[in-house]
């Protein structure tokens, strides 16, 4: 790097040892759009003399040609590495840069200020130890400044530097600086950020970045680099808290070797230590610790190890190893804080894939408690969470997991939510505490059960879930099928969308949230009926795959048969038996499936009926055959 | 904060992990996640220093088991001879399955950097070659040794970098990647490029090679080599396929490489650093970036981003 050659220790071994002792600080730059984050980081890299000559030359060339800074260097261009970013002069995604000084090593994440890209800011913040929050001295605190500060505090970042930037545009006014500082300190206190340092900065001129500025003689605090070199790096804390090893992978190298591989999230482990496997609660003791290919007597937080145990206990990916006297909690229902990151809102009743440490489970969103207005910190009642919103909700998992509150452990308390259909990461969250509700309402075990009831009926109970567009022919086919089943002496029930909406679900409309709830209730009713031993026919448009999947998850394997009544939109609309398509086209009906609300066709239904190829009667016969083939009905 | 455990760890004195130990642990964690969550992973092995580090880390990650994935070398037939020798040696080691792929289209058309230029050469041999190899073998995750400190658009890339079924990277719409929770879910045909060395710097790589005694090709160390100058770059004439201008004679100069690729496209630097410590010392004094020696990156200002979007590593 373009350092002064004389300043470099020439004895390489000595140098390497010094390097080894250097601490690493990871920090982010965040704040509202255009407040100068990228410019400041660029300036910092430049003033700290960490730029290569060829990069500098490129910067000079580009600044002259396309920069926004006239003759001066446009430092933001060092960070904004994507073509679209340089064209628009904004940051879209996080840039990670690496630099070192005599005292420390740094990884900085320069994040976008634009609200649209908040998810990328969250990405950068999740791995940071400290945050540099920028404010434009002319504009003061903006909504994004507060949103970013709030996210920083939620993620547990304790040290914040407020860089009051563009001081050159307010004549380096101490009064203006103090105004913004006081307002921010007040806000920071409310959101629980303890350590705030405020610095008067001009990224363009380099005031108080690396060199102390003569233009702010009234300021006696540290320069930005001094701050970064001295802010506390709290890596020891992770070693002091209880031991957690989320198991990533089971290493079965040979018949004699069974090791559990993972990154130690916290605490320390030594040979002979007793361990507990969560959530099961089984115990054993450590017989080997492998750090790579070396046997070691002890390992600590931050190391990737492979651990062997004394007993043949059942351990698989997703389990958490701990010490028996300080185990993680075990639960299947939580209160959590969620940051939503996708255009499709988070809906109550919807089921998502949840990844927490190395465990993957299904999580259903229970009532949303509230969302938070990031400006006023008010708690607002809400039924859904839109993109970039932050809220608190209950989550119900399909099984119990071992966890810690995020406040206590960043690894075993953090999770992401993944959409089941698109596989996008749609939310990020932090577990607050377990809800004891499920433990209080005990499940009533009954002696006469599903198997016993089904035996009387002479068939296997199941649900046939008919999905398809309005007018596709679901009800017609379901009706014909039920008649045939009835004629054979089978016990059936048909749940029809229109009919259920007149009674059980008459309080629900057609918004996305109501559609989810509609399906949830019907699925639960169908489940009770299957439990009663019936063959249940459900005829519902059920346009979203995630709800159909949620319904499917309620049933045992082989009990849920998805029947896709496949009719092209043009054909269904052409039939328009109920005149609904016409109304929808005229705008008299809103949220109509196929017109202004999507229909997500099943990817692999158990049964698919193309109504353009077979008649309704033929379809019923085909389904009957399929039920025989699957052993649900005895052959005729 | 919670109460300290009553177990033995209360009496435990702090162990400071070094910077390199942390990087090593992070890379190993990434590799294990891929093996746990994808069906058919592969490690791209280019014989360079980053690949060597990556392979070393992979051995540690899965020890004592053999590597749970094969290595893939997407060959262009224009690498340095010493690189091929090293590759073949690695392939003979126990527990290593190494596959070599040469794009048949490139072979058929006889694509080379002299007749077709660096852009076409790189596109057909490397970008198209890699895409075809991944498709043919059905790999759904490919490890690459790229680092974020190499280049501006790399600095923007996720550790788990999602690719469409057409191998496209959409830099404006990357999946959020929080903490160390990687989302490896995808539909059939889609895939991931995974970069376990994302947070390593060039200096970290050299220090680690030094500390762990990792074998590397000697091209990284200075020696007398036959050199011609092309567009200001020092090109080592590695075999007799290199066309020389009338009267042009390779000169012996003391050079080494900071990065390795196809020999006609990789610029050497004049250097006396013939040991690892000397290389590290030289790095500390370096005033230019390692990519400066790569002719392919200079085709246009945003060439790397464009190539990446098309499926280049
Ligand atoms: N006068 C003055 N202008 C500045 C200063 N810092 C940044 N700017 C200008 O402010 C504009 C925005 O700067 P950026 O660094 O791109 O802002 P940013 O915060 O990274 O923006 P996003 O990442 O898109 O949110 C550019 O035109 C900069 O040149 C400063 O200290 N003084
Ligand atoms: Mg920016």
């Amino acid at each position: 790097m373009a350092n002064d050659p004389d300043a470099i220790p020439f004895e390489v071994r000595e140098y390497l040892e010094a390097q080894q002792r250097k601490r690493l600080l990871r920090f982010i730059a965040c704040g509202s759009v255009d407040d100068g984050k990228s410019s400041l980081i660029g300036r910092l890299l430049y003033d700290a003399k960490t730029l290569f000559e060829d990069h500098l030359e490129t910067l000079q060339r580009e600044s002259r040609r396309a920069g926004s800074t006239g003759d001066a260097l446009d430092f933001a261009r060092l960070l904004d590495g994507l073509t679209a970013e340089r064209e628009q002069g904004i940051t879209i995604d996080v840039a990670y840069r690496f630099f070192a000084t005599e005292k420390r090593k740094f990884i900085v994440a320069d994040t976008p200020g634009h609200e649209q890209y908040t998810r990328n800011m969250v990405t950068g913040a999740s791995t940071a130890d400290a945050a540099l929050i920028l404010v434009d001295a002319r504009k003061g605190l903006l909504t994004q400044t507060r949103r970013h500060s709030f996210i920083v505090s939620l993620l547990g970042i304790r040290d914040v530097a407020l860089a009051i930037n563009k001081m050159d545009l307010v004549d380096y006014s101490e009064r203006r600086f103090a105004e913004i500082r006081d307002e921010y300190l007040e806000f920071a206190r409310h959101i629980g950020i303890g350590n705030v340092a405020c610095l008067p900065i001009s990224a363009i001129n380099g005031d108080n970045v690396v060199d102390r500025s003569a233009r702010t003689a009234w300021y006696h605090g540290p320069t930005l680099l001094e701050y970064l070199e001295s802010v506390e790096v709290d890596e020891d804390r992770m070693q002091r808290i209880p031991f957690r090893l989320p198991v990533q992978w089971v290493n079965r190298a040979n018949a004699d070797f069974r090791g559990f591989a993972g990154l130690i999230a916290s605490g320390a482990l030594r040979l002979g230590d007793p361990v507990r496997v969560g959530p099961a609660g089984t115990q054993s003791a450590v017989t080997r610790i492998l750090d790579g290919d070396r046997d070691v007597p002890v390992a600590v937080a931050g190391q990737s190890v492979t651990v062997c145990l004394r007993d043949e206990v059942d351990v698989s990916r997703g389990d958490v190893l701990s010490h028996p006297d300080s185990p993680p909690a075990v639960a299947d229902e939580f209160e959590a804080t969620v940051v939503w990151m996708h255009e499709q809102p988070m809906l109550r009743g919807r089921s998502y894939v949840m990844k927490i440490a190395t465990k993957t489970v299904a999580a259903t969103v229970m009532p949303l408690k509230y969302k938070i207005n990031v400006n006023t910190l008010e708690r607002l009642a809400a039924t859904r969470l839109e993109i970039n919103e932050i809220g608190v909700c209950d989550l119900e998992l399909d099984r119990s997991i071992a966890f810690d509150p995020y406040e206590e452990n960043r690894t075993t308390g953090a999770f992401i939510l993944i959409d089941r259909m698109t596989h996008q990461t749609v939310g990020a969250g932090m577990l607050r505490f377990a809800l004891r509700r499920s433990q209080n309402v005990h499940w009533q075990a009954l002696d006469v059960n599903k198997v016993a009831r089904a035996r009387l009926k002479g068939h296997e109970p199941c649900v046939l879930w008919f999905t398809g567009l309005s007018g596709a022919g679901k009800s017609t086919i379901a009706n014909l099928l039920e008649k045939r089943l009835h004629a054979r002496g089978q016990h059936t029930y048909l749940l029809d969308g229109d009919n259920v909406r007149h009674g059980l679900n008459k309080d629900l409309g057609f918004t996305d949230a109501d559609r989810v709830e509609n399906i949830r209730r019907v699925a639960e009713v169908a489940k009770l009926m299957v439990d009663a031993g019936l063959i249940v026919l459900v005829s519902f448009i059920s346009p979203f795959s995630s709800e159909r999947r949620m319904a499917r998850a309620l049933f045992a394997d082989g009990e849920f048969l998805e029947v896709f009544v496949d009719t092209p939109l043009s054909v269904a609309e052409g039939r328009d038996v109920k005149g609904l398509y016409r109304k929808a086209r005229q705008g008299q009906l809103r949220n109509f499936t196929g017109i202004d609300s999507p229909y997500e066709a099943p990817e692999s239904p158990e049964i698919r009926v193309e109504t353009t190829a077979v008649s309704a009667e033929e379809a019923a016969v085909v389904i009957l055959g399929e039920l025989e083939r699957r052993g649900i009905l005895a052959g005729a | 904060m919670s109460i300290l455990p009553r177990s033995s760890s209360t009496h435990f004195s702090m162990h400071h992990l070094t910077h390199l130990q942390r990087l090593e642990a992070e890379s190993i964690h990434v590799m294990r996640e891929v093996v746990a969550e994808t069906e058919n992973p592969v490690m791209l092995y280019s014989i360079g220093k980053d690949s060597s580090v990556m392979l070393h880390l992979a051995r540690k990650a899965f020890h004592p088991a053999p590597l749970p994935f094969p290595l893939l070398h997407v060959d262009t037939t224009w690498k340095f001879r010493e690189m091929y020798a090293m590759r073949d040696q690695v392939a003979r080691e126990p527990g290593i399955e190494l596959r070599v792929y040469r794009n048949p289209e490139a072979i058929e058309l006889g694509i080379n950097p002299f007749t077709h230029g660096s852009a076409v050469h790189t596109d057909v041999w490397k970008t198209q070659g890699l895409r075809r190899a991944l498709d043919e073998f059905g790999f759904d995750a490919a490890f690459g040794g790229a680092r974020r400190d190499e280049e501006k658009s790399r600095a923007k890339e996720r550790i788990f970098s999602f690719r469409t079924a057409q191998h496209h990277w959409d830099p404006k719409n990357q999946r959020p990647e929080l903490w160390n929770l990687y989302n490896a879910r995808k539909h059939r045909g889609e895939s991931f490029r995974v970069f376990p060395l994302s947070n390593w710097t060039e200096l970290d790589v050299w220090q680690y090679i030094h500390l762990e005694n990792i074998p590397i090709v000697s091209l990284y160390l200075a020696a007398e080599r036959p050199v011609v100058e092309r567009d200001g770059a020092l090109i080592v004439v590695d075999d007799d396929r290199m066309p020389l201008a009338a009267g042009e004679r390779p000169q012996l100069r003391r050079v080494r490489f900071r990065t390795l690729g196809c020999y006609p496209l990789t610029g050497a630097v004049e250097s006396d650093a013939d040991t690892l410590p000397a290389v590290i010392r030289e790095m500390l004094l370096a005033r230019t970036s390692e990519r400066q020696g790569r002719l392919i990156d200079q085709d246009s200002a945003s060439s790397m981003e464009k190539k990446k979007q098309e499926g280049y590593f």
Side-chain angles (χ1 to χ4, degrees):
Chain A
M1 280 158 231
N3 281 322
D4 176 6
D6 295 335
I8 288 173
F10 264 83
E11 197 42 66
V12 171
R13 184 168 356 133
E14 211 172 88
Y15 166 81
L16 290 178
E17 273 164 18
Q19 284 292 305
Q20 297 282 54
R21 282 193 298 272
K22 275 186 196 174
R23 288 293 180 88
L24 170 72
L25 181 78
R26 295 186 72 133
F27 70 100
I28 55 161
C30 58
S32 196
V33 68
D34 268 356
D35 284 356
K37 298 173 287 298
S38 305
S39 304
L40 179 56
I41 298 306
R43 179 84 209 193
L44 180 64
L45 295 173
Y46 177 77
D47 283 358
K49 302 202 170 48
T50 64
L51 296 175
F52 287 123
E53 274 173 7
D54 51 321
H55 290 163
L56 260 180
E57 276 161 29
T58 313
L59 175 66
Q60 277 156 356
R61 207 166 352 109
E62 286 187 0
S63 299
R64 246 176 280 125
R65 203 179 55 216
S68 64
T69 43
D71 285 340
L73 293 177
D74 185 355
F75 290 109
R77 297 182 82 83
L78 284 171
L79 280 301
D80 291 336
L82 301 176
T83 318
E85 295 179 325
R86 290 200 293 270
E87 279 166 9
Q88 300 171 48
I90 59 163
T91 305
I92 292 174
D93 212 329
V94 206
Y96 295 92
R97 293 294 298 240
F98 306 79
F99 67 103
T101 63
E102 288 296 314
K103 297 209 175 73
R104 269 192 185 167
K105 285 174 178 275
F106 298 95
I107 301 180
V108 52
D110 177 37
T111 68
H114 213 284
E115 179 174 347
Q116 187 186 344
Y117 306 119
T118 301
R119 57 173 173 255
N120 297 334
M121 178 271 171
V122 183
T123 293
S126 68
T127 50
D129 306 313
L132 177 60
I133 299 179
L134 272 89
V135 179
D136 182 330
R138 296 169 302 175
K139 299 185 201 151
L141 306 189
L142 301 173
T143 301
Q144 269 306 82
T145 327
R146 295 198 174 89
R147 189 192 310 275
H148 282 186
S149 301
F150 194 61
I151 291 170
V152 157
S153 119
L154 277 181
L155 289 174
I157 299 175
R158 281 178 261 195
D159 291 287
V160 167
L162 186 77
I164 302 179
N165 188 33
K166 308 199 187 183
M167 288 300 291
D168 54 306
L169 299 179
V170 296
D171 291 332
Y172 297 94
S173 155
E174 180 178 9
R175 206 173 52 82
R176 182 65 186 141
F177 173 79
E179 258 170 36
I180 297 173
R181 177 193 61 203
D182 295 345
E183 191 185 350
Y184 190 79
L185 289 178
E186 176 68 11
F187 182 73
R189 202 170 50 77
H190 278 292
I191 58 176
I193 296 180
N195 310 327
V196 185
C198 300
L199 297 82
I201 299 273
S202 167
I204 288 249
N205 297 333
D207 296 288
N208 299 321
V209 178
V210 168
D211 302 314
R212 185 162 297 282
S213 169
R215 290 176 282 232
T216 54
W218 43 264
Y219 173 72
H220 304 291
T223 64
L224 178 58
L225 188 61
E226 283 166 359
Y227 172 83
L228 294 171
E229 285 185 332
S230 61
V231 61
E232 208 184 324
V233 181
D234 205 10
E235 63 187 43
D236 295 346
R237 179 175 171 271
M238 292 317 289
Q239 288 187 28
R240 282 196 305 262
I241 64 176
F243 167 71
R244 302 283 183 262
L245 176 65
V247 175
Q248 259 190 301
W249 187 67
V250 181
N251 189 334
R252 311 218 57 157
N254 54 57
D256 304 324
F257 187 90
R258 187 153 158 267
F260 307 105
L263 177 63
I264 302 180
S266 57
L269 184 70
R270 28 178 73 215
L271 273 182
D273 273 359
V275 288
R276 184 178 194 277
V277 184
T282 40
Q283 296 200 10
S284 188
V286 178
T287 54
R288 269 184 93 177
I289 306 172
L290 280 167
D291 173 12
D293 46 7
R294 283 184 316 130
D295 271 280
V296 292
V298 55
V300 298
Q303 281 182 290
S304 279
V305 293
T306 304
V307 175
C308 300
L309 301 181
R310 189 188 56 210
D311 313 278
E312 278 279 319
V313 282
D314 182 6
V315 183
S316 41
R317 175 170 164 85
D319 289 341
V320 179
L321 303 187
S322 68
H323 284 298
D325 48 6
S326 50
V330 173
D332 61 359
E333 233 181 292
F334 305 93
E335 182 173 303
T337 307
V338 174
V339 181
W340 199 247
M341 305 192 292
H342 202 263
E343 286 75 17
Q344 296 268 315
M346 178 175 96
L347 299 177
R348 164 192 178 161
R350 186 161 272 194
S351 168
Y352 299 93
V353 173
M354 177 184 196
K355 190 168 177 191
I356 171 162
T358 55
K359 184 99 182 165
T360 302
V361 294
T364 305
V365 179
M366 303 311 282
L368 204 65
K369 300 226 157 111
Y370 55 86
K371 63 182 183 189
I372 297 157
N373 176 327
V374 291
N375 274 312
T376 59
L377 303 179
E378 254 178 303
R379 296 175 171 190
L380 307 171
T383 53
R384 55 207 268 150
L385 218 48
E386 304 283 348
I387 183 162
N388 301 328
E389 288 187 332
I390 298 162
V392 170
C393 67
D394 289 352
L395 289 172
E396 192 181 282
L397 311 191
D398 63 347
R399 73 200 88 160
S400 291
I401 58 165
F403 82 101
D404 294 289
Y406 183 80
E407 261 188 14
E408 285 170 26
N409 196 311
R410 270 194 185 197
T411 305
T412 44
F415 62 88
I416 54 171
L417 296 174
I418 300 167
D419 186 275
R420 288 175 173 280
M421 178 145 113
T422 64
H423 302 317
Q424 288 289 337
T425 306
V426 288
M430 287 133 283
L431 295 181
R432 291 157 64 98
F433 48 81
L435 299 170
R436 298 289 160 205
R437 202 145 46 89
S438 57
Q439 266 125 323
N440 296 335
V441 188
H442 280 288
W443 195 252
Q444 198 64 46
L446 303 169
D447 291 332
V448 179
N449 57 22
K450 181 157 68 179
V451 181
R453 291 185 205 101
R455 220 175 284 133
L456 286 183
K457 305 273 192 268
H459 62 231
E460 294 295 322
C462 71
V463 54
L464 286 152
W465 192 281
F466 290 79
T467 172
L469 292 169
S470 174
K474 296 180 297 298
S475 300
T476 314
I477 297 169
N479 195 36
L480 288 170
L481 177 64
E482 191 182 24
K483 280 209 301 212
R484 285 175 176 268
L485 287 168
H486 189 77
R488 288 172 58 147
Q490 313 298 353
H491 296 242
T492 59
Y493 194 82
L494 201 167
L495 285 162
D496 190 88
D498 289 343
N499 299 349
V500 173
R501 276 192 178 275
H502 284 124
L504 177 65
N505 290 353
K506 85 172 153 210
D507 56 326
L508 299 177
F510 289 89
T511 63
D512 284 0
D514 281 359
R515 281 177 192 269
V516 174
E517 177 60 13
N518 185 33
I519 300 301
R520 191 190 67 81
R521 290 188 197 170
V522 170
E524 289 287 358
V525 170
K527 184 183 166 149
L528 291 175
M529 290 180 166
V530 166
D531 205 46
L534 304 183
I535 295 178
V536 188
L537 297 85
V538 176
S539 167
F540 270 67
I541 297 174
S542 43
F544 304 131
S545 340
S546 47
E547 275 68 65
R548 296 194 301 265
R549 230 168 299 208
M550 168 184 84
R552 181 187 291 273
L554 292 175
F555 297 89
D557 279 349
E559 255 178 24
F560 184 93
L561 306 176
E562 195 170 32
V563 183
F564 179 26
V565 183
D566 191 357
T567 306
L569 178 62
S570 55
V571 177
E573 186 168 357
R575 293 181 192 150
D576 206 7
V577 198
K578 302 174 208 160
L580 297 176
Y581 282 100
R582 191 172 36 81
K583 281 197 198 157
R585 288 285 184 202
Q586 290 165 353
Q588 295 167 12
L589 261 183
R590 299 284 306 278
N591 295 327
F592 194 76
T593 300
I595 307 297
D596 57 349
S597 183
Y599 178 77
E600 299 167 359
E603 273 181 16
S604 44
E606 275 77 7
I607 302 169
R608 177 200 199 98
V609 176
E610 286 186 54
T611 63
T612 45
V614 294
S615 71
E617 277 290 353
E618 286 164 341
V621 174
V622 168
I623 299 170
L624 215 51
E626 183 64 23
L627 293 179
E628 285 172 6
R629 204 184 61 75
R630 288 176 178 264
I632 286 169
L633 300 179
Chain B
M1 210 189 73
S2 59
I3 304 151
L4 285 172
R6 269 170 293 122
S7 72
S8 52
S9 56
T10 327
H11 311 291
F12 179 76
S13 63
M14 289 300 156
H15 281 229
H16 289 303
L17 298 184
T18 65
H19 176 60
L20 287 176
Q21 282 177 308
R22 285 178 180 277
L23 286 174
E24 178 185 71
E26 178 185 88
S27 304
I28 289 176
H29 174 259
V30 167
M31 290 181 184
R32 289 171 174 168
E33 279 302 287
V34 170
V35 166
E37 296 227 329
T38 65
E39 284 162 28
N40 192 14
V42 67
M43 178 167 280
L44 298 185
Y45 177 69
S46 74
I47 321 152
K49 61 182 189 303
D50 303 304
S51 288
S52 303
V53 166
M54 198 161 60
L55 178 58
H56 185 79
L57 289 166
R59 286 200 170 102
K60 286 195 177 196
F62 304 103
H63 178 86
L67 291 196
F69 41 72
L71 305 183
L72 172 67
H73 179 224
V74 178
D75 188 17
T76 65
T77 71
W78 287 93
K79 304 290 171 189
F80 292 87
R81 280 170 301 159
E82 200 199 328
M83 293 172 75
Y84 290 116
M86 168 113 169
R87 178 194 72 190
D88 296 342
Q89 189 186 323
V90 165
R92 281 192 297 271
E93 287 170 27
I96 298 271
E97 179 193 345
L98 186 137
R99 300 184 188 177
V100 176
Y101 189 85
R102 295 184 200 91
N103 186 358
E105 193 191 349
I107 297 177
E108 195 180 310
L109 298 173
I111 303 285
N112 69 75
F114 304 110
T115 333
H116 303 90
S118 67
V120 170
H121 171 79
T122 308
D123 180 58
V124 182
W125 277 113
K126 292 180 79 178
T127 309
Q128 306 305 327
L130 174 60
R131 291 171 52 158
R132 290 179 69 146
L134 296 179
D135 287 346
E136 274 178 35
F137 295 120
F139 294 125
D140 62 348
F143 292 106
R147 309 184 319 266
R148 283 170 173 160
D149 82 325
E150 279 179 73
E151 200 270 337
K152 283 197 287 220
S153 66
R154 294 255 197 238
K156 295 265 160 185
E157 194 160 8
R158 301 282 188 258
I159 293 178
F160 274 55
S161 188
F162 176 80
R163 298 298 146 103
T164 63
Q166 291 73 41
H167 300 279
H168 284 292
W169 178 52
D170 183 0
K172 284 198 286 182
N173 199 15
Q174 301 191 83
R175 285 184 182 176
E177 191 168 86
L178 286 100
W179 298 288
N180 57 9
L181 290 174
Y182 304 107
N183 172 4
R185 301 204 154 225
K186 57 184 163 22
H187 294 107
R188 189 164 297 281
E190 296 168 342
S191 64
F192 287 92
R193 307 283 167 91
V194 183
F195 304 106
L197 304 184
S198 285
N199 290 327
W200 294 59
T201 64
E202 189 186 3
L203 188 56
D204 295 329
V205 166
W206 281 119
Q207 284 185 43
Y208 191 70
I209 289 174
H210 180 50
L211 233 72
E212 300 272 314
N213 259 317
I214 300 171
I216 44 158
V217 286
S218 72
L219 293 159
Y220 287 113
L221 303 177
E224 302 263 322
R225 296 188 170 96
V227 168
V228 294
E229 249 187 84
R230 293 282 159 91
D231 302 325
L234 303 180
I235 304 297
V236 168
V237 183
D238 196 55
D239 60 34
D240 52 17
R241 288 181 295 172
M242 174 119 187
L244 299 175
E248 190 180 33
R249 291 230 348 255
Q251 288 177 317
L252 278 188
R253 279 160 88 167
R254 235 180 135 64
V255 294
R256 67 177 195 91
F257 292 90
R258 288 178 72 180
T259 174
L260 289 175
C262 295
Y263 84 79
L265 298 176
T266 312
V269 289
E270 305 231 53
S271 165
D272 282 323
D274 51 5
T275 63
L276 277 179
V279 167
I280 292 171
R281 175 192 296 165
E282 203 175 80
M283 273 239 39
L284 298 170
L285 301 173
R287 290 168 179 277
T288 54
S289 71
E290 74 189 292
R291 289 219 151 247
Q292 205 209 18
R294 291 216 181 173
L295 300 184
I296 58 162
D297 291 350
Q298 288 158 13
D299 289 341
S300 85
S302 49
S303 64
M304 177 59 84
E305 179 183 348
K306 232 184 287 157
K307 282 207 297 287
K308 287 176 68 61
Q309 288 187 31
E310 290 157 4
Y312 180 77
F313 227 84

